[in-house]
Amino acid sequence: MTSLDKRPGEPDGRGAIEISGLRKSFGTNEVLRGIDFRVGPGEVVCVIGPSGSGKSTLLRCVNLLEEPTSGSVNVVGVDVTDPDADIDAVRRRIGMVFQSFNLFPHLTALGNVMIAQRKVLKRDKAEAGRIARENLERVGLADKIGSYPAQLSGGQQQRVAIARALAMGPEVMLFDEPTSALDPELVGDVLGVMRGLAEQGMTMLVVTHEMSFAREVADRVVFMDAGAVVEEGPPARVIDDPSHERTRTFLSRVLDPAAARVGEGE
């Protein structure tokens, strides 16, 4: 599946996310080393790679939670690296879901989905409540609106976090390994919600270790290692028939961990 046969491209050729020459260093440690790629409107791009390859830092640079050392990041037509850019306005158009759920423990699911709408978008209580209920229903939690985070499973908490992001009306969704903190039996419900968003045409940039999800849902897969893009392309090529030895080694360890040997791929 490619972006050409799944969803139409945008008329003017502009990507929803365009990254050019992106570099990020923490002291002497260069985490991102000249990243170039784009995500078209309605496209789903999954980023895979070993721990420490810069995947999460890449996501955090997209909405400027981390400030790039150099290069440019353009999101929904705005250069977020421009000092004059209204970053708060851009962030309101970007939804982000983290590994941890970051829910307020003293608020119900409904309250958690309402609070940013009230404080950031200045919606009144009735409107924020209506939109919160719609999005909790959208992620399959209509019956949990009055539940507190401690009363919810990890998968349900993550779905509340997704509903919270969706309630802000984002044009782009960023997911940073959203299932990594979940027990295996809870992963499917979260991936099912994400699959539904993809089918509805949501633009998504997803850092994930769920290869089956990337294979089935992504328009493109990007493999990163040591702060660089090693290869990218349709899932059928990158996951099932990778061209680089580093990609093959990584995937062999991920897809068949029991066959990995100590020291292999290090």
Side-chain angles (χ1 to χ4, degrees), residues 7 14 22 25 38 56 69 86-87 114-115 128 138 159 166 179 185 190 201 221-222 230-231 243 247 255:
R7 301 182 184 93
R14 180 179 291 278
L22 180 63
S25 296
R38 69 193 296 277
S56 294
T69 302
D86 185 343
I87 298 303
M114 286 177 63
I115 188 168
R138 189 176 179 183
R159 283 187 281 157
L166 292 173
T179 61
E185 69 269 22
V190 173
V221 172
V222 175
V230 176
E231 65 178 299
S243 59
T247 315
L255 297 174

Side-chain angles (χ1 to χ4, degrees), residues 37-161:
F37 73 89
R38 69 193 296 277
V39 182
E43 190 176 25
V44 178
V45 175
C46 285
V47 183
I48 63 173
S51 298
S53 60
K55 307 183 302 295
S56 294
T57 300
L58 170 66
L59 278 194
R60 294 174 67 85
C61 284
V62 169
N63 65 359
L64 226 64
L65 291 177
E66 296 288 354
E67 186 173 348
T69 302
S70 63
S72 67
V73 178
N74 189 294
V75 184
V76 292
V78 179
D79 182 355
V80 301
T81 53
D82 185 335
D84 296 326
D86 185 343
I87 298 303
D88 289 336
V90 176
R91 284 184 182 140
R92 287 195 284 270
R93 301 166 71 182
I94 304 171
M96 186 155 184
V97 178
F98 299 88
Q99 297 176 36
S100 55
F101 320 127
N102 299 322
L103 300 180
F104 291 106
H106 66 289
L107 295 178
T108 62
L110 185 67
N112 269 284
V113 180
M114 286 177 63
I115 188 168
Q117 297 183 66
R118 299 292 309 280
K119 292 185 176 296
V120 178
L121 300 183
K122 307 303 180 184
R123 289 173 178 158
D124 63 37
K125 185 176 181 180
E127 182 183 18
R130 174 182 61 79
I131 292 171
R133 286 183 176 87
E134 288 175 355
N135 282 287
L136 284 167
E137 181 176 1
R138 189 176 179 183
V139 300
L141 293 176
D143 61 336
K144 299 294 184 181
I145 62 173
S147 299
Y148 290 89
Q151 299 171 315
L152 300 173
S153 70
Q156 290 169 336
Q157 290 185 59
Q158 189 62 291
R159 283 187 281 157
V160 172

